[in-house]
Each structure stands twice: as C-alpha cells, then as structure tokens.
Amino acid sequence: MKNKTIIFPLLFIFVMILIFIVYLVFFAYDTPNNIPSLNKEVILASHDYLPADLRTNARLLIDGKETFAAIFKHIQEAKNTILIHSFIWRDDKVGNMLAKQLLEAADRGVQIIIEKDKLGALHEKTEENKLSFFHKKAIPSLWIKQFFLEKLYAHPGKFGQKPEISYAGKLTAHPNITVSANQIKNDHSKYFIFDHKTLVLGSVNIEDKEVFFDAAGREYSDYMIELDGRNFVKQFLQELNGEHVTSNSEVEFVVNKFKPVRQFEVKSKILSLLRTAQNSVIIQNSYWGDKDVLQRLAETANRGVHVQIFLPQTANLQTDLNLKSMRWLLEHSAYKPQIYLHKKMLHAKLILVDNNYLLLGSSNLNSVSLEKMQETNVLIDLPGSAILPKLQKNLTKHRQQSQLIRKAEQLQYNSFLAFFENIFS
C-alpha cells in the first residue's frame, strides 16, 4: 500500500513533465510581442510609382538554379537598395555565394537590409550540414524542439561540415549592411526587393539543396515569382505595413502577419479559392495536415472539380502526416482526386485554380503555417501572362515523373509518427 502511495504522485509528476515538454515542442509558437520594424521607408521614399503590366512584367522562376541566377543578376545590377527577408540561410556554398555578392554590392555603396528569423535556425541546425549562417551559438529556447526533431527524423548530413569560405562575419560587420537576425518572429516568408522596383517572392530558401541536392541525394523543386515594377513593390510593402493598399486587378498579396495588427488571411483565401473553383484545381505543396483545407478539397472534388495534388513521396519532415492526409482525402471524396507522389522533394507552395488564378508563396498547408506563422503569398490573375504556359509545361513534367495514387490503400504510414506530426503541424 505504501508503494502505491509513492508511485501515484511520481507518475503524476512524470505525466505533467511530459505534457510540459510536448507543449514546449509542439505548441510554443507564441505571437511575438515586440517585433522590431526595420525602416522600410527607405524602400518607399522619393520614388515615382509607374503602372506595371503583369503580362510583361511577371516571370515564373522554377527551382533554385533559375531563382539564384535571377537574384545574383539583380544584386550585380543594384544601384541603391536591396531588401532580403529569409527563413533559412545556411552556412554552405549557396549561402556564402549570396553573401559574397551582397558584400560586393555594399562595397559599391548599395544599402542592404537583411531580415532573418531566428526560428529558422531550428532547421538549419538539424538538417544538411547543420550550420546556420547567422546563428553560430546554441539557442537554448530551441534546444527541446531541436532534440525532438533530431530524434523523430534521422536526417543525413555531416554535422559541422564547414564551407571552404564563410562570409558571415564580414556581412554583419559591413557599414552598408543592416542585419536583423536575433529574434524569433515566427516569420516563414521569403522575398527579395531590388532598387525599389523588383520583387522576387516565393518558397526558395538560401541553401545548397535548392540548387544541387540535399544530403539524402534528392533534387528540390520550388518556385518564385519575379514582379518587375515599382507599383508591385509599393503594393506589397503597403500590405505588410498595414497601410491602404493600392488596388491592382491583376495582383493581390495574401499574407499572415502579426504587426501592426494581427492579420491572418492566407487560410481564408485558400478556402475561398477552392470554393469558387469550377473546373480544375492543381496543388503542389510539401507539408499537409490542416483539416479545414482537406475538408474543402473533398467538397471541391465532390462537386466534380478535377483536383490534382502533387507532393513529395518522402519529405524532409512530416511524411507520415502527408500520407495520412492524402489517404483521408481519397476516403472522403466520391470523385477521387489525383494524388501524385514525386521522388523529388517538392518544396513548392502553389495553388492553380481553373487555369485562371495562381496563388504562390511561402505558405504550407499545415496548421502551423496557416494559423501560427507569418507568411507572404501572391495571387495572380493569369490570363494573358507568360506564366501559365511555363507552369503547365513544368506540371506536365512532374506528372510524368510521379507515381499516381488511385486507391487509399496504396498510402501506408506510421500512425505513431503521424500523430505527433499532427500535433506539431
């Protein structure tokens, strides 16, 4: 009897500690209370904003090679300002190639602002070479999450595999470069602005695997949109700053943000697009799990809309939740969506509706992204633009390279991992 008296309090304490750890790991995506706002007025001030024609001033950038070729070109041609906003910036070849280009621009007198979320270090320190470009020291607030990620996913990679040359110290010390990288902002956005006139936005991170291969030998597939025109930049920054947005019938920026007031609009926009779809929906996304999106997709398919979904056969994170989500979708759709599993790591975040509307950006389709993270996306009215033919050609290639799943029983997953991934995502 005495033993039972001791065991039950100990068991209770153990359970409470376990619950606390699970909370820290999976739920601690608190709204940042004090996000510093860098002076983006330097981007807006003293410039005339001329009309921009989307049909001639928008370009789809496919994968990391095309994206970084465009980014490096813009850096080399920059005359006044560069603004970079990134979630992942790894201390590897690509990370240092970008830094070298920026240092050369800064030496020419270009004023550069870099905004980097410290939360991204969680993934920088648990994948690939496990080296963060800006965050060299251990981050105690991320230790528990880092431990669980390393245990859940045995990521290949050589710990501490340093690049031949690292420019991290030089970049942060340059007088023409302002770096904000010391706060966790829950900001998953990825975008570049050059000389007040060119915006590059999407889902490409700053790391080797976007250009070459990841540590597991997989190619990455991703997208960015390049918008050339001062009006696009002005409209985008107005949206981020909570100002009155200059209307544009061809482009709408769809964001999740905490400041100046909490505005989370990505999920509602996705649900609205799916509800209004008449003929076809094509989605490429790497991370799934949001129940409302899955439910709306099932309803969309059951209305007779042709739904095609592309996702990686094996993702770097939450593969089991992805497969569970797709199985649920097939089981709850009378008119079965076409599910394509690709051997590449499809890191893209893209929704194409009726070949008329394209939503592209940084948002995943899991609950963390849609409800707890700051994200930036662009919704484009496609008719007449050069984006659609290029995108359709790439989608055709992906269909040919993918495995088409026709039955829910084809999708097998680890229920235990899917459970924890669902809590996390």
Side-chain angles (χ1 to χ4, degrees):
M1 187 72 179
K2 187 175 180 180
N3 289 338
K4 290 185 178 179
T5 305
I6 296 173
I7 289 173
F8 282 116
L10 289 176
L11 182 62
F12 176 78
I13 293 171
F14 174 77
V15 171
M16 291 298 100
I17 292 174
L18 182 63
I19 291 173
F20 178 68
I21 290 174
V22 169
Y23 169 77
L24 287 177
V25 175
F26 299 123
F27 292 97
Y29 284 86
D30 296 330
T31 301
N33 294 318
N34 185 25
I35 299 176
S37 178
L38 291 181
N39 185 17
K40 293 192 183 74
E41 284 72 19
V42 69
I43 303 293
L44 288 170
S46 302
H47 290 275
D48 296 325
Y49 291 94
L50 304 174
D53 182 1
L54 180 66
R55 287 159 182 79
T56 57
N57 292 52
R59 185 161 68 109
L60 179 67
L61 302 174
I62 297 178
D63 299 339
K65 290 182 181 179
E66 195 169 311
T67 294
F68 282 104
I71 287 170
F72 290 162
K73 183 175 184 292
H74 286 305
I75 293 173
Q76 291 162 7
E77 295 176 351
K79 304 296 183 185
N80 300 301
T81 61
I82 298 172
L83 172 63
I84 298 178
H85 195 107
S86 181
F87 185 69
I88 299 290
W89 192 323
R90 210 175 292 279
D91 196 359
D92 56 16
K93 291 181 181 179
V94 169
N96 282 283
M97 286 170 63
L98 178 62
K100 184 175 183 293
Q101 295 279 335
L102 292 171
L103 285 167
E104 292 174 359
D107 287 341
R108 301 194 308 267
V110 177
Q111 298 296 310
I112 299 170
I113 294 175
I114 297 171
E115 298 174 326
K116 166 71 175 64
D117 196 326
K118 195 174 184 178
L119 182 61
L122 174 65
H123 301 283
E124 293 161 354
K125 291 174 178 288
T126 56
E127 295 182 82
E128 300 303 303
N129 67 356
K130 299 178 172 61
L131 289 177
S132 172
F133 190 85
F134 290 108
H135 312 293
K136 303 301 183 186
K137 297 180 180 179
I139 305 173
S141 61
L142 298 178
W143 278 350
I144 296 177
K145 290 181 179 180
Q146 185 176 337
F147 171 81
F148 271 82
L149 278 178
E150 289 174 341
K151 297 304 176 184
L152 280 175
Y153 307 104
H155 285 302
K158 195 171 182 179
F159 181 79
Q161 185 179 0
K162 297 182 180 180
E164 295 178 5
I165 301 176
S166 179
Y167 292 97
K170 292 182 179 180
L171 200 70
T172 54
H174 200 288
N176 288 337
I177 301 176
T178 303
V179 178
S180 173
N182 292 322
Q183 285 205 335
I184 294 177
K185 304 177 185 180
N186 296 350
D187 196 337
H188 189 239
S189 306
K190 307 108 191 286
Y191 58 84
F192 301 73
I193 298 176
F194 302 98
D195 281 341
H196 329 285
K197 64 179 183 179
T198 303
L199 169 65
V200 180
L201 175 153
S203 56
V204 172
N205 288 310
I206 302 171
E207 54 185 339
D208 281 357
K209 62 184 180 182
E210 294 280 9
V211 176
F212 309 111
F213 299 88
D214 68 5
R218 293 171 302 190
E219 289 184 82
Y220 264 54
S221 180
D222 241 323
Y223 298 103
M224 297 284 268
I225 287 286
E226 179 187 85
L227 296 171
D228 189 21
R230 299 189 189 278
N231 263 18
F232 292 135
V233 174
K234 181 180 181 180
Q235 182 183 346
F236 177 66
L237 292 176
Q238 285 175 332
E239 182 69 41
L240 291 184
N241 293 334
E243 302 171 8
H244 174 70
V245 177
T246 305
S247 61
N248 187 324
S249 61
E250 298 173 328
V251 167
E252 176 186 353
F253 293 104
V254 183
V255 304
N256 286 351
K257 63 182 181 181
F258 292 117
K259 301 288 183 177
V261 295
R262 193 180 195 278
Q263 177 184 326
F264 272 53
E265 59 188 18
V266 177
K267 184 173 179 176
S268 61
K269 178 61 68 173
I270 290 172
L271 296 178
S272 175
L273 282 170
L274 295 177
R275 184 179 63 249
T276 57
Q278 298 296 315
N279 301 304
S280 65
V281 170
I282 299 175
I283 300 179
Q284 286 193 328
N285 207 285
S286 46
Y287 310 113
W288 292 76
D290 185 85
K291 294 179 180 178
D292 294 328
V293 171
L294 291 171
Q295 181 65 46
R296 183 59 55 85
L297 270 172
E299 294 169 358
T300 302
N302 288 336
R303 290 193 286 108
V305 176
H306 185 209
V307 176
Q308 299 177 69
I309 295 172
F310 296 81
L311 70 159
Q313 187 176 34
T314 304
N316 62 324
L317 301 169
Q318 70 156 79
T319 294
D320 292 280
L321 180 58
N322 284 349
L323 297 178
K324 179 182 179 180
S325 299
M326 294 303 103
R327 180 160 180 157
W328 184 95
L329 186 57
L330 287 173
E331 290 173 342
H332 290 79
S333 304
Y335 297 94
K336 306 298 183 189
Q338 292 181 327
I339 311 295
Y340 292 94
L341 298 184
H342 204 295
K343 290 183 180 180
K344 284 186 177 181
M345 173 57 198
L346 297 184
H347 188 252
K349 297 91 171 58
L350 174 151
I351 300 176
L352 177 63
V353 175
D354 292 334
N355 285 333
N356 286 327
Y357 300 101
L358 173 66
L359 182 69
L360 185 150
S362 64
S363 296
N364 296 311
L365 295 180
N366 55 26
S367 297
V368 165
S369 177
L370 297 179
E371 298 176 2
K372 299 178 181 179
M373 298 294 289
Q374 299 186 97
E375 306 280 3
T376 51
N377 305 269
V378 60
L379 178 62
I380 298 176
D381 188 356
L382 286 177
S385 78
I387 293 174
L388 185 58
K390 184 175 182 179
L391 175 59
Q392 287 176 327
K393 183 178 180 179
N394 199 55
L395 291 172
T396 298
K397 182 175 70 173
H398 282 177
R399 285 189 199 93
Q400 296 168 348
Q401 297 171 341
S402 300
Q403 176 190 3
L404 176 59
I405 302 298
R406 300 181 182 276
K407 298 180 181 179
E409 295 74 21
Q410 292 177 262
L411 299 171
Q412 302 297 321
Y413 59 91
N414 184 312
S415 298
F416 175 79
L417 285 177
F419 171 77
F420 279 99
E421 289 170 344
N422 192 41
I423 295 174
F424 181 67
S425 304

